[in-house]
Amino acid sequence: CTGCRYLRTGCNESCVPFSFHPPINWTKLPKEQFQIIAEKISTLDSLEIEVILKQIFVSKEEQNVCVISNIVKDDVLIIAQYVDLLRNQHEILQELDFAYNGFLFKQISINNDEKIMLKFLIYNDNKIFMIDYLLKTNLYPNQVRAIESSIGSLSKINKEEI
């Protein structure tokens, strides 16, 4: 595939119904660190939706992060309210709906002076997942192709394989 040079070896996680390749030189956060972050996120009152962290990847420099999570209430209305909340709290650079490889996506790009967040809400078989990329603004131009390739690597896993 054309984007494979930007991707790390695949992650076929049993906890999500799709396979995913993070960008090259991004590694899975060790289990101990993952559990600490998952506990902190689960106690944040600012989240308007309940999420369960599934996986966290960090770039080689550890300045960029990719978080895969599952939205507990798979309710389109709650997602619409969450997107409205994001619009009210952040400067949204771009909002885009698209379909790819059997998935429906809502992409939201949020920017501040230091960081860019690319948030992908992924609708799959009545479940909603999020993949968030948090990048330092100055590193974003060098990572954009790898992130595009990473999102392009999503593919469904047969239910028999789960």
Side-chain angles (χ1 to χ4, degrees), residues 56-112:
I56 300 173
F57 297 92
V58 293
S59 66
K60 187 176 178 181
E61 311 83 26
E62 296 189 15
Q63 296 184 31
N64 300 318
V65 178
C66 173
V67 178
I68 301 174
S69 53
N70 173 229
I71 297 176
V72 174
K73 271 194 169 177
D74 299 326
D75 184 337
V76 176
L77 181 60
I78 287 176
I79 299 306
Q81 291 170 346
Y82 176 63
V83 170
D84 285 341
L85 180 74
L86 289 173
R87 284 186 197 117
N88 292 332
Q89 291 181 346
H90 302 283
E91 178 186 346
I92 305 287
L93 289 179
Q94 180 183 24
E95 195 173 321
L96 180 66
D97 293 307
F98 63 97
Y100 177 75
N101 214 12
F103 299 99
L104 297 175
F105 290 84
K106 176 174 276 303
Q107 176 185 344
I108 301 169
S109 302
I110 299 169
N111 185 23
N112 68 30

Side-chain angles (χ1 to χ4, degrees), residues 9-50:
T9 302
C11 295
N12 197 348
E13 303 295 335
S14 60
C15 57
V16 292
F18 53 82
S19 66
F20 171 78
H21 298 269
I24 197 163
N25 295 326
W26 291 44
T27 57
K28 191 185 327 186
L29 202 64
K31 188 174 184 174
E32 305 77 40
Q33 289 177 300
F34 173 83
Q35 288 174 330
I36 291 167
I37 291 172
E39 286 173 21
K40 286 182 181 178
I41 287 181
S42 70
T43 60
L44 290 177
D45 292 331
S46 62
L47 283 177
E48 295 296 317
I49 58 172
E50 186 180 353

